[in-house]
Amino acid sequence: MFGQLRALIRKEVQQTLRDRRMMFLLVVAPLLQTVVFGFAVDFETSEVPTGVIDLDQSVESRRLVRRMFADDTLVLARRGASPALAATWLVDDVVDMAVIIPEGFGRGQVRGERVSVQALSDGTDPNRSAAAEGYVTSLLRGGDSSPIAPRQLLNPGLDTAPYMLPGVAGVLLLLITTIIASMGLARERETGTLEQLQVTPMPAAVILVGKVAPFAAIGFVDFVFAFSIAHFGFGMPLRGSLAELAVIGGLYLSGTLFTGLAVSTFSRTQQQAFLGGFLVLLPAALLSGVFTPLESMPNWMQWLTVMNPLRHFAALVRGNAFAAQTLFEQPLGPLALMGYAALVGTLAVVRFARTQE
């Protein structure tokens, strides 16, 4: 059995290495995409065009305006003297936020009274709007003499790229392992070479492991390169154990590769395998918590994400990299990844064995 497996793996490696387009998709494309997404995926809010309507014109109101534009979060785009201008600016897309400082603001500040400052924002971009409003609110609550000194742990700079790249890497690994693996087996079915393997005395499990092994090795190389780029290129910390990080990657790749093989057993052509892979990729990405918080989803949908390997991969990697959490501190993740790999692997073997009958 081991001799058969070694021969099959050698054949798969040679066939993959000879296909330059396949090697580009498996190695070069994920690395380029990691770099591009690292620069492109940025949810930080800066240089928000802002209009100011200061109806008070006091020392305190002018001080507030100076503090609002002290850094690059907000950019002064318009000044006005009528509250009606705020809605006009927003509708005309001149500003993304308008701040109206009412009369009596300075007098209220001197007396220690609470005076409401109205902030109107463009709600078509909820994330940008909420961030800008939060910035203005923090200025009003803090003040120059506030004893509060906020400090962020684990990600002091609140940088987006280090936080997003583990999830982005998981999506790219899911893409290349699931879709490429499924298309590879479908291609052999189309060319007839799979039928030649099926008439040999090799068990279905041996054939599948032989098909998986080269993609697993390439996927793990992509995993190492992707996190090297994230660490050295974008400053993602690696505070946890590298050995445990490798275990996380191995468990995740096992599940994604078996997913690709399971998809291929339902596909007769490469086109069907390609579309089937995307039917797996899109829900996995959307229900992973990588791009949107899981807490914002309905409760019943949160339960659907429990068996999503991408969700646990991203959570485990972030816990390992940012907080040095061990696998024993996040037991649900490793168990879910192992359970998913076992379930999908069994499905792939059973389905492939049926095609041999």
Side-chain angles (χ1 to χ4, degrees):
M1 180 181 296
F2 290 106
Q4 295 173 339
L5 180 61
R6 185 168 57 252
L8 183 57
I9 292 175
R10 186 186 307 116
K11 172 255 183 189
E12 289 294 324
V13 171
Q14 292 174 348
Q15 180 176 332
T16 303
L17 292 177
R18 284 197 300 265
D19 191 337
R20 294 183 179 180
R21 291 176 298 179
M22 180 71 74
M23 289 302 298
F24 177 83
L25 292 174
L26 288 173
V27 179
V28 180
L31 301 183
L32 292 177
Q33 290 171 332
T34 301
V35 174
V36 171
F37 280 123
F39 287 107
V41 180
D42 189 354
F43 295 148
E44 296 177 15
T45 300
S46 62
E47 298 185 355
V48 179
T50 305
V52 174
I53 299 173
D54 186 357
L55 302 178
D56 192 50
Q57 295 296 326
S58 62
V59 174
E60 288 75 14
S61 66
R62 286 192 289 269
R63 183 184 298 124
L64 173 62
V65 173
R66 286 196 300 270
R67 289 171 51 214
M68 286 172 52
F69 302 106
D71 58 19
D72 62 350
T73 303
L74 306 180
V75 176
L76 181 61
R78 288 289 189 276
R79 280 184 181 272
S82 171
L85 290 173
T88 303
W89 291 339
L90 290 170
V91 171
D92 293 342
D93 200 23
V94 176
V95 301
D96 289 341
M97 168 168 282
V99 177
I100 303 174
I101 304 175
E103 293 183 11
F105 173 81
R107 185 169 57 255
Q109 290 285 298
V110 172
R111 295 176 179 177
E113 300 173 353
R114 183 183 296 272
V115 181
S116 297
V117 175
Q118 189 173 18
L120 305 177
S121 59
D122 184 356
T124 55
D125 188 343
N127 292 328
R128 188 175 176 87
S129 174
E133 289 180 2
Y135 176 74
V136 174
T137 301
S138 67
L139 291 178
L140 295 172
R141 288 178 177 174
D144 296 329
S145 60
S146 172
I148 301 175
R151 180 186 177 192
Q152 288 76 32
L153 301 179
L154 305 181
N155 186 12
L158 297 179
D159 297 321
T160 302
Y163 177 78
M164 293 297 299
L165 278 176
V168 170
V171 173
L172 294 177
L173 291 173
L174 178 62
L175 173 66
I176 64 173
T177 54
T178 298
I179 294 182
I180 300 300
S182 62
M183 290 181 64
L185 201 59
R187 181 184 64 246
E188 296 210 8
R189 181 176 286 111
E190 285 184 318
T191 58
T193 55
L194 185 60
E195 294 180 357
Q196 297 175 6
L197 288 175
Q198 290 176 327
V199 298
T200 64
M202 286 190 293
V206 173
I207 296 176
L208 286 180
V209 172
K211 293 289 183 183
V212 164
F215 293 110
I218 295 174
F220 197 80
V221 170
D222 288 337
F223 172 79
V224 173
F225 283 164
F227 282 92
S228 298
I229 292 173
H231 177 63
F232 295 107
F234 296 95
M236 188 189 82
L238 291 176
R239 298 190 177 100
S241 167
L242 294 180
E244 290 196 358
L245 188 63
V247 171
I248 295 169
L251 292 175
Y252 179 68
L253 288 173
S254 299
T256 58
L257 286 166
F258 280 129
T259 300
L261 294 179
V263 169
S264 70
T265 62
F266 291 92
S267 308
R268 294 185 177 273
T269 64
Q270 294 185 67
Q271 290 81 0
Q272 292 178 354
F274 181 81
L275 293 176
F278 263 100
L279 288 177
V280 174
L281 174 67
L282 291 179
L286 294 175
L287 298 177
S288 63
V290 171
F291 302 107
T292 56
L294 293 175
E295 293 76 12
S296 64
M297 301 178 186
N299 289 332
W300 63 269
M301 187 172 289
Q302 293 183 35
W303 281 104
L304 293 179
T305 67
V306 172
M307 285 302 291
N308 184 356
L310 181 55
R311 166 193 169 174
H312 299 290
F313 173 78
L316 287 170
V317 170
R318 286 168 177 167
N320 177 285
F322 286 93
Q325 292 182 339
T326 66
L327 295 179
F328 296 102
E329 294 177 290
Q330 307 179 79
L332 175 62
L335 292 176
L337 290 178
M338 287 188 290
Y340 179 83
L343 178 64
V344 180
T346 301
L347 174 63
V349 172
V350 171
R351 285 283 307 175
F352 188 75
R354 289 181 180 178
T355 61
Q356 290 185 297
E357 297 176 356

